[in-house]
């Protein structure tokens, strides 16, 4: 898995790490059951702090995309590709809504539809 961070990107580094892995899962570069490199290996390859990488990995774990298992390391969760693709679309929708002046609660109201 080849990850690159964009130095011109204004997002926090941990968000960029999570986005890069999320994209790799959505595009099929990483499949369910695949083992990811260790956080230390990723931090060395990306030349960023290991805690920054861990924060991005925990975000993906919380989204259900990764599993942390003692002795097995970090693996891609079953069904992660579907969830990853949806997460990407949700983030794009949130960014577009924000650009247009809508709040997250406005989006929730739109999704719920008329009362």
């Amino acid at each position: 898995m080849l990850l690159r961070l964009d130095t011109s990107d204004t997002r926090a580094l941990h968000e960029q790490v999570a986005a890069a892995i999320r994209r790799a899962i959505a595009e099929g570069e990483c499949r369910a059951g695949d083992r990811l490199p260790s956080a230390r290996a990723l931090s060395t390859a990306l030349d960023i702090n290991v805690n920054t990488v861990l924060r991005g990995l925990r975000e993906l774990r919380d989204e259900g995309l990764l599993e942390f298992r003692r002795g097995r390391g970090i693996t891609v969760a079953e069904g992660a590709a579907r969830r990853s693709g949806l997460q990407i679309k949700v983030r794009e929708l949130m960014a577009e809504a924000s650009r247009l002046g809508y709040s997250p609660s406005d989006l929730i109201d739109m999704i719920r539809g008329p009362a």
Side-chain angles (χ1 to χ4, degrees):
M1 175 173 60
L2 179 62
L3 298 180
R4 291 195 182 127
L5 301 182
D6 182 359
T7 55
S8 66
D9 193 330
T10 59
R11 291 179 297 169
L13 289 174
H14 75 276
E15 292 174 2
Q16 291 184 52
V17 169
I21 296 171
R22 195 179 292 112
R23 196 169 28 257
I25 293 169
E27 293 175 358
E29 186 180 340
C30 296
R31 301 184 190 286
D34 285 355
R35 187 172 174 184
L36 270 61
S38 70
R40 188 166 310 283
L42 287 171
S43 72
T44 300
L46 297 171
D47 195 29
I48 59 175
N49 187 288
V50 69
N51 291 316
T52 302
V53 172
L54 284 169
R55 188 171 175 191
L57 293 173
R58 283 191 297 267
E59 181 178 319
L60 296 174
R61 179 198 59 200
D62 294 347
E63 291 176 10
L65 301 179
L66 298 180
E67 295 175 343
F68 291 26
R69 293 195 179 158
R70 190 172 304 194
R72 287 194 55 213
I74 302 168
T75 57
V76 177
E78 195 65 41
R82 289 186 307 276
R83 286 190 298 273
S84 180
L86 184 58
Q87 286 287 338
I88 290 169
K89 289 177 182 178
V90 167
R91 289 177 189 280
E92 289 170 353
L93 176 62
M94 294 287 292
E96 180 67 10
S98 176
R99 189 182 69 74
L100 295 173
Y102 291 99
S103 71
S105 61
D106 292 333
L107 278 178
I108 291 168
D109 291 342
M110 286 179 201
I111 291 168
R112 286 189 177 137

